[in-house]
Amino acid sequence: QVQLVESGGGLVQPGGSLRLSCEASGYIFSDYAMAWYRQLPGKARDVVARISATGAASHHVNSVKGRFTISRDNGENTLYLQMNNLKVEDTAVYYCVRLVNLFAAPDYWGQGTQVTVSS
């Protein structure tokens, strides 16, 4: 069965960096686009960044452009989110998701990893 397991969350000070990882299993990783979503406190889940199946194309929402970078290693079945210059408003639960294509809705979700940005 499809499994998506996130890691790398934690507590970081404003301006700091974290790298989230998502290990995928149970399907052919390189056949699917992937994305990171996040859920801010009291808000609905929303997309942060998307990446195509090959990694050739990606899209980041405006609020994280220039600070976050989505990438993937198809040889290792792993998705990444490098987060730099973190802000308090980035505090959220971050989810790894699978997409049928780059702009499709997610069909599988990971369990989420908490990122807290606080001084």
Side-chain angles (χ1 to χ4, degrees):
Q1 71 279 21
V2 174
Q3 287 194 315
L4 302 170
V5 180
E6 302 98 334
S7 60
L11 173 64
V12 63
Q13 292 187 339
S17 298
L18 282 175
R19 188 175 81 154
L20 305 183
S21 299
C22 171
E23 293 188 22
S25 61
Y27 70 102
I28 300 173
F29 183 66
S30 58
D31 281 353
Y32 289 84
M34 299 290 292
W36 289 97
Y37 275 60
R38 68 183 179 186
Q39 186 167 24
L40 279 63
K43 303 287 187 179
R45 296 178 185 182
D46 206 356
V47 66
V48 175
R50 305 169 183 266
I51 189 166
S52 64
T54 64
S58 63
H59 174 265
H60 300 75
V61 298
N62 286 339
S63 60
V64 306
K65 273 183 183 176
R67 300 189 298 122
F68 291 11
T69 303
I70 189 171
S71 63
R72 65 190 295 161
D73 184 337
N74 284 350
E76 296 292 330
N77 293 347
T78 303
L79 177 73
Y80 300 102
L81 185 68
Q82 178 66 44
M83 305 186 293
N84 298 329
N85 191 21
L86 281 158
K87 303 178 180 181
V88 171
E89 52 265 39
D90 294 318
T91 295
V93 178
Y94 285 73
Y95 296 90
C96 168
V97 305
R98 193 181 81 167
L99 309 174
V100 174
N101 58 60
L102 189 56
F103 290 100
D107 63 351
Y108 283 94
W109 294 74
Q111 83 286 352
T113 186
Q114 176 71 47
V115 171
T116 302
V117 186
S118 174
S119 55

